[in-house]
Amino acid sequence: MRSLLLLLALIALFGLVSSQKAFHSRRLGTEGQIVGRILSEYDPSSRPPVRDHADNSAILVITNIFINRLIWQNNYAEVDLYLRQQWQDSRLKYDVDTREGIDEIRLPQNRKIWEPDTYFTSGKELAGNDKGSKHIVVEPSGYVRSSERKLLELPYTYGTMFPFTNSRQFTIKLGSYQYDIDDIVYLWANSPPLVNPIEVSQDLLRGDLTFEEASAGDCVGNYTVGVYSCIDAHVYFSASTLSGLMSWFLPSLFLLIGSWLHFWIHGSWSVPRTISSAVPFFILAAYYIFMREDSYTQAQGAWLGFCLVLTFFSFVEYFLVICCGGRRSIRYKTLSGQEEHPMGAAKETVEVAYDQGCSSFRNNNGIDVISRVAFPIVTVIFLVIYFIFIV
C-alpha cells in the first residue's frame, strides 16, 4: 500500500514538473513572437514619439539608483550601483491574451531598442564585467523598465564633527549626453517607502561607515549650445561615535598625556623619563612620515599636528632638564695613611650636595613644575579654539 502511494506521488510530481516546463516553453515562445512582432519595423536610433495629449514634447525618464557596494579609497570611492530608468515608448505596445499570463516581456540581450543616453557627470565610469548586467522589461502598454549595472569612481569629501562623528559625502549627478531639455527630462522616482531616489543594500547599513541619508534634487546643465536636463543626489555616510573616538582621537590623546608623565619623575631617573618623552613623539612622527596626506581630514590633521608639536616640546623639555639639572658633589675624608693601603688611602664620605642650577625651584625641579601646569593649559586652550574655529 505504501509503495502504491509513493508511486502515485512520484507520478503526480512528474506530471506537475512536465506541465510547468511545457508552460514555461510555451510562454518563452509567445514572448519571442511578441518581441519579433513589435521590433519588426522598430528604429532604435529614433526617439519615441510624443505622448498623446502631452503638454510638451520631452520624454519623461523616471530614475532610481540602487547602491550595491562601496570601496573607500584614499580620496575617492568605487561605487557599484544599478541605474534603473523608466520611460514610455508607444511603439512597443502589444496585445496579449490574458490566459497567457504575460504581464511583461524581457528583451533579449541581442535585441536593441531606444534608450536614454544617460551618463554620469560627477565621476568616472570604470570598465567592468558587463555580461548580463543589463535587463530591459517591456509592459503591454509600451512602458519600458531598464536596469543596468555601473561601476563608478566618485570623489568624496569629509564632514567631520570632531571628535564624535566622521561623515563622508559624494555626489551622483547624471544627465543626457545628446538630448537637450526639450527632448528628455529626468525625474527621480520618489514613492516612499517602497521606492526612493537612492536605495542601498543591507551591507551598507552596517559596518564602520554606514549609510545615513541621501538628498536628491534637480540641476540644469548650461552648455555652449542648449540647456540639458540633469538630476543629482548627495549621499551621506557616517561612522559611529565610538568608532571615531577609538580610531584616532583617543590614541593620540593618550600619547600626548603620556609625554607629560616624565614631568613628575625626578631628573636622575633617566630611563623612565626617556621612555615617557621619546616614545610618544616618535610614534606620532612615524605616523606623519608613513601615512598619506589624504588619509585624514583637515581637522584631524590639525589635531594630530598639534599633538606632534607638543610632544616635541616635551622632548625638548627632557633635554633641558638634563642640561640644567642637578649635579651631585661628594666630599671625602681620608681614614688612614697610604702605607696601610697599597691601592690607595681609604676614604669616608663626609657630605653629599646637589647643585640644581637653573632647574632649582624651591628644592624641586623648576622646569618640570612649570611644565606640569603649562602643557595641560596649552592643550585646553587649543581644544577650545579647535572646537570653535576649526571643526
Side-chain angles (χ1 to χ4, degrees):
M1 185 66 179
R2 292 182 179 177
S3 302
L4 180 61
L5 292 176
L6 180 60
L7 179 62
L8 292 176
L10 291 175
I11 294 174
L13 180 61
F14 178 77
L16 179 63
V17 172
S18 301
S19 63
Q20 289 291 336
K21 288 184 177 180
F23 175 77
H24 184 67
S25 301
R26 185 170 63 253
R27 174 166 180 168
L28 289 178
T30 304
E31 290 184 359
Q33 293 176 3
I34 295 174
V35 171
R37 184 170 67 250
I38 63 178
L39 297 182
S40 59
E41 298 179 357
Y42 186 87
D43 183 11
S45 62
S46 62
R47 200 197 67 164
V50 182
R51 295 171 298 170
D52 296 335
H53 310 293
D55 296 333
N56 54 68
S57 60
I59 299 298
L60 189 62
V61 180
I62 308 298
T63 306
N64 154 260
I65 289 179
F66 178 83
I67 302 178
N68 181 46
R69 183 174 55 90
L70 271 176
I71 300 178
W72 298 102
Q73 303 294 348
N74 290 325
N75 55 359
Y76 65 91
E78 290 186 6
V79 185
D80 183 4
L81 57 83
Y82 287 91
L83 174 63
R84 299 168 177 171
Q85 301 180 103
Q86 306 174 35
W87 66 91
Q88 180 74 32
D89 191 343
S90 58
R91 298 173 297 176
L92 299 176
K93 288 183 179 181
Y94 58 90
D95 297 324
V96 62
D97 193 341
T98 56
R99 293 174 298 179
E100 297 289 343
I102 298 178
D103 299 326
E104 59 187 28
I105 57 172
R106 175 170 293 184
L107 203 66
Q109 294 287 337
N110 59 346
R111 305 304 294 267
K112 303 299 181 183
I113 63 173
W114 180 91
E115 299 178 49
D117 57 341
T118 306
Y119 80 108
F120 293 88
T121 64
S122 58
K124 176 183 178 182
E125 187 169 346
L126 303 177
N129 185 12
D130 297 330
K131 184 178 180 180
S133 61
K134 177 186 284 190
H135 301 282
I136 298 178
V137 173
V138 182
E139 298 179 0
S141 61
Y143 199 73
V144 183
R145 304 198 311 270
S146 170
S147 176
E148 184 176 4
R149 187 176 183 180
K150 298 284 187 179
L151 184 61
L152 304 179
E153 183 180 291
L154 299 175
Y156 64 85
T157 58
Y158 288 96
T160 302
M161 293 298 295
F162 175 86
F164 304 104
T165 60
N166 176 19
S167 62
R168 301 181 184 183
Q169 168 195 346
F170 59 81
T171 300
I172 300 177
K173 182 183 294 186
L174 56 90
S176 175
Y177 184 81
Q178 178 182 359
Y179 297 98
D180 59 21
I181 200 170
D182 294 328
D183 294 325
I184 289 181
V185 173
Y186 289 92
L187 287 179
W188 286 112
N190 191 12
S191 300
L194 299 178
V195 180
N196 294 289
I198 303 295
E199 299 175 349
V200 299
S201 63
Q202 291 295 325
D203 293 338
L204 299 180
L205 297 178
R206 55 180 179 267
D208 295 336
L209 278 171
T210 58
F211 173 75
E212 183 177 355
E213 63 176 349
S215 175
D218 300 327
C219 57
V220 177
N222 295 311
Y223 302 95
T224 304
V225 179
V227 179
Y228 295 79
S229 172
C230 73
I231 53 178
D232 60 1
H234 304 284
V235 187
Y236 299 89
F237 287 80
S238 63
S240 63
T241 300
L242 183 61
S243 175
L245 288 174
M246 296 299 294
S247 61
W248 61 276
F249 176 69
L250 289 182
S252 61
L253 182 61
F254 289 154
L255 287 174
L256 180 60
I257 297 176
S259 68
W260 303 343
L261 296 181
H262 66 94
F263 300 157
W264 284 266
I265 302 175
H266 194 272
S268 62
W269 292 23
S270 60
V271 174
R273 286 184 64 93
T274 303
I275 295 175
S276 173
S277 61
V279 171
F281 170 71
F282 284 117
I283 291 178
L284 290 173
Y287 181 84
Y288 263 78
I289 293 174
F290 294 105
M291 294 298 291
R292 294 170 56 94
E293 293 183 359
D294 50 9
S295 61
Y296 45 81
T297 66
Q298 183 178 0
Q300 291 175 339
W303 167 251
L304 295 176
F306 170 77
C307 293
L308 180 63
V309 171
L310 212 61
T311 54
F312 172 74
F313 280 116
S314 176
F315 199 24
V316 172
E317 192 270 354
Y318 162 75
F319 284 102
L320 289 177
V321 172
I322 293 177
C323 297
C324 302
R327 297 291 187 270
R328 186 175 66 171
S329 60
I330 303 176
R331 293 177 58 193
Y332 298 99
K333 177 182 178 183
T334 303
L335 296 178
S336 58
Q338 178 73 22
E339 64 280 357
E340 299 179 5
H341 300 277
M343 300 301 295
K347 297 180 181 180
E348 178 185 7
T349 302
V350 176
E351 180 181 358
V352 178
Y354 292 88
D355 180 16
Q356 294 184 337
C358 63
S359 64
S360 179
F361 187 81
R362 292 187 179 182
N363 298 324
N364 292 307
N365 196 334
I367 298 179
D368 281 342
V369 172
I370 296 175
S371 300
R372 294 170 194 173
V373 179
F375 278 75
I377 290 178
V378 171
T379 302
V380 171
I381 293 175
F382 177 82
L383 286 176
V384 172
I385 297 174
Y386 190 85
F387 279 114
I388 297 176
F389 297 103
I390 299 180
V391 176

